[in-house]
Amino acid sequence: MCSSKRYLTDKELEDALYDSDLYMDDINLNLQSSDSELDCETRVEKQVDANDGNLANSRKSLLEYEQSSSADEPDTDDDQDIIIPARNTRRRPRPLAKIDKPKSDMKPPLGTVWKKSSMMQKRRFAANVMKTALGLKQGIKPQTPLEAFRLFFNNIAIELILLYTNQKLQAIKDRETRSSFLQKSCNFQKEEILGFIGFLITAGAYKGNKDPVDEIFSEEGLPIYRATLAKHRFLLLLKCIWFDDKNTREGRKEHDNFAAIGELWNNVTDTFPKFLNPSESVVIDEELITFHGRCKFRVFIPTKPAKYGIEANVLCDSENYYCFAVEPYAGKCENQPKGYNSDPKVVKRLVALAKIENS
């Protein structure tokens, strides 16, 4: 076998660029191969003769082009743009698909009949008819964000935090008798508890919950922080904040691992179903509440964005995204009933907590 494939020389490539139409056929001939030795030799001889003539013609045309361009145009250092005509890349159009007109009834192989129009709906059962209007309940019309917040954090919740926080402060005073600062510190007031909660909400909204305390209370921080609480009072409240009676906690933890904050949690979540009427789209799902502190029932879920936190079962309305009931998963206890965290019992407890009544 003899092959006539070869690479183009620099001179042939240069001539092809200047005179592409004249030399393109010769390039295609040079790149073809033959199965016969005799045909290969004859083709090579013809190509050599043709190339010699074409090269001479291309050089002659190139010299004439340079002389004419130098006589008509002024001398410039910029290279002339060489335009190579593009090949015709038009493709044959595809045939159009033949789609039959849909019939009135389309019958699949299994015998199921599909209709183009929806079937007539039957009458609903009386238990499935919503008798309450969706939206806020009668008499619930908060005018400001503070009024809406106080619907959930009512006076009972604030007084609960105030009571246990002052108990913690007194216990620290009894333990650290040599600290003149603690001995002179007075009990906290209700306004300080509200200001402390608003302080934390504002810091979270402005992404400053991880900033150092000195930076928060400096002149570069927001003025609302310094206007809400003094720095030493904020640090003392952060140290003494408490949510349950520490003397009875061990007895309550035998039945509930969530005893440290269970009383305040129940007081706040019990107010959820009091202000809004649910729609038909009420669902139950799991939620991971972000928490990186020390907790025996903290879970790790790698598929969640936060990964670490407290898992909770939530009953929500999918139309207005309102939470009616929430129950945290606090793990197993020693005296916990069998199957307490099973799915059917969790659903029944959430429905009971939501107090959804269709009357």
Side-chain angles (χ1 to χ4, degrees):
M1 295 294 294
C2 178
S3 176
S4 62
K5 292 184 178 180
R6 65 183 181 84
Y7 293 101
L8 297 178
T9 62
D10 296 339
K11 188 63 178 176
E12 292 174 348
L13 183 61
E14 182 181 358
D15 295 339
L17 291 176
Y18 280 102
D19 196 358
S20 59
D21 293 336
L22 181 63
Y23 202 62
M24 189 60 67
D25 296 335
D26 299 330
I27 295 175
N28 294 332
L29 290 175
N30 290 334
L31 297 179
Q32 292 178 354
S33 60
S34 174
D35 295 336
S36 174
E37 295 182 359
L38 182 60
D39 294 340
C40 176
E41 293 177 358
T42 54
R43 288 183 181 180
V44 169
E45 292 177 358
K46 292 181 180 180
Q47 289 175 6
V48 170
D49 297 338
N51 290 340
D52 294 340
N54 292 333
L55 288 174
N57 295 332
S58 61
R59 293 193 186 97
K60 183 177 180 180
S61 60
L62 179 61
L63 292 175
E64 293 177 355
Y65 173 76
E66 292 179 352
Q67 292 176 0
S68 61
S69 61
S70 60
D72 297 339
E73 299 179 359
D75 296 337
T76 57
D77 296 335
D78 299 336
D79 297 335
Q80 298 292 334
D81 295 335
I82 302 172
I83 301 175
I84 300 176
R87 292 186 177 182
N88 187 9
T89 58
R90 185 177 179 182
R91 295 182 179 180
R92 184 172 57 185
R94 295 181 179 179
L96 298 177
K98 296 181 180 180
I99 302 176
D100 298 333
K101 294 183 179 180
K103 300 179 181 180
S104 58
D105 296 338
M106 294 175 286
K107 297 182 179 180
L110 298 179
T112 305
V113 179
W114 297 93
K115 300 287 186 180
K116 293 193 298 182
S117 58
S118 59
M119 299 179 64
M120 184 180 298
Q121 296 183 356
K122 298 181 180 180
R123 184 176 180 180
R124 292 187 179 183
F125 294 101
N128 296 334
V129 178
M130 300 298 296
K131 300 179 182 179
T132 56
L134 176 63
L136 293 175
K137 292 186 177 181
Q138 188 175 4
I140 307 298
K141 293 182 179 180
Q143 302 297 328
T144 61
L146 179 60
E147 292 181 3
F149 175 78
R150 292 304 303 275
L151 291 177
F152 305 102
F153 271 82
N154 49 25
N155 292 330
I156 299 176
I158 300 301
E159 291 175 359
L160 190 69
I161 299 174
L162 182 63
L163 173 63
Y164 296 133
T165 302
N166 285 330
Q167 289 181 2
K168 179 66 175 180
L169 176 61
Q170 187 61 38
I172 294 176
K173 285 183 179 181
D174 297 340
R175 186 175 65 250
E176 301 180 10
T177 56
R178 296 184 178 181
S179 176
S180 59
F181 170 73
L182 290 175
Q183 298 302 325
K184 294 180 181 179
S185 299
C186 58
N187 290 340
F188 296 103
Q189 302 297 324
K190 179 180 177 181
E191 290 75 14
E192 290 180 306
I193 300 297
L194 289 172
F196 180 76
I197 297 174
F199 191 105
L200 298 180
I201 294 175
T202 305
Y206 284 95
K207 308 296 182 182
N209 53 336
K210 295 183 180 180
D211 295 343
V213 178
D214 295 336
E215 182 179 345
I216 291 176
F217 283 94
S218 64
E219 295 182 356
E220 297 178 356
L222 295 177
I224 192 173
Y225 295 144
R226 299 188 298 273
T228 303
L229 286 171
K231 179 182 176 181
H232 68 279
R233 199 66 175 172
F234 173 79
L235 293 175
L236 182 62
L237 186 54
L238 194 64
K239 182 179 181 180
C240 300
I241 193 73
W242 214 255
F243 306 105
D244 73 320
D245 189 359
K246 192 175 182 180
N247 299 326
T248 61
R249 178 185 293 183
E250 295 300 327
R252 289 181 283 110
K253 286 179 66 175
E254 295 180 359
H255 304 277
D256 185 12
N257 290 330
F258 208 63
I261 197 175
E263 186 177 359
L264 178 64
W265 178 279
N266 295 332
N267 183 274
V268 174
T269 56
D270 287 346
T271 61
F272 290 171
K274 295 181 180 180
F275 312 121
L276 193 72
N277 293 323
S279 66
E280 297 178 351
S281 305
V282 177
V283 296
I284 296 177
D285 199 0
E286 296 178 350
E287 182 181 357
L288 185 67
I289 303 173
T290 306
F291 180 73
H292 294 273
R294 293 179 297 175
C295 182
K296 64 182 297 184
F297 49 86
R298 187 186 65 174
V299 297
F300 171 72
I301 303 178
T303 57
K304 298 290 185 179
K307 293 183 174 56
Y308 291 94
I310 299 174
E311 186 178 359
N313 299 309
V314 186
L315 187 147
C316 295
D317 193 335
S318 61
E319 291 191 4
N320 49 32
Y321 314 110
Y322 185 80
C323 175
F324 285 93
V326 56
E327 182 184 72
Y329 173 74
K332 296 182 180 180
C333 299
E334 297 179 359
N335 300 329
Q336 196 174 68
K338 185 178 180 180
Y340 181 80
N341 293 321
S342 61
D343 293 342
K345 292 188 177 182
V346 169
V347 172
K348 291 180 180 179
R349 288 198 301 270
L350 287 175
V351 173
L353 290 173
K355 301 176 183 178
I356 299 176
E357 298 179 358
N358 189 16
S359 60

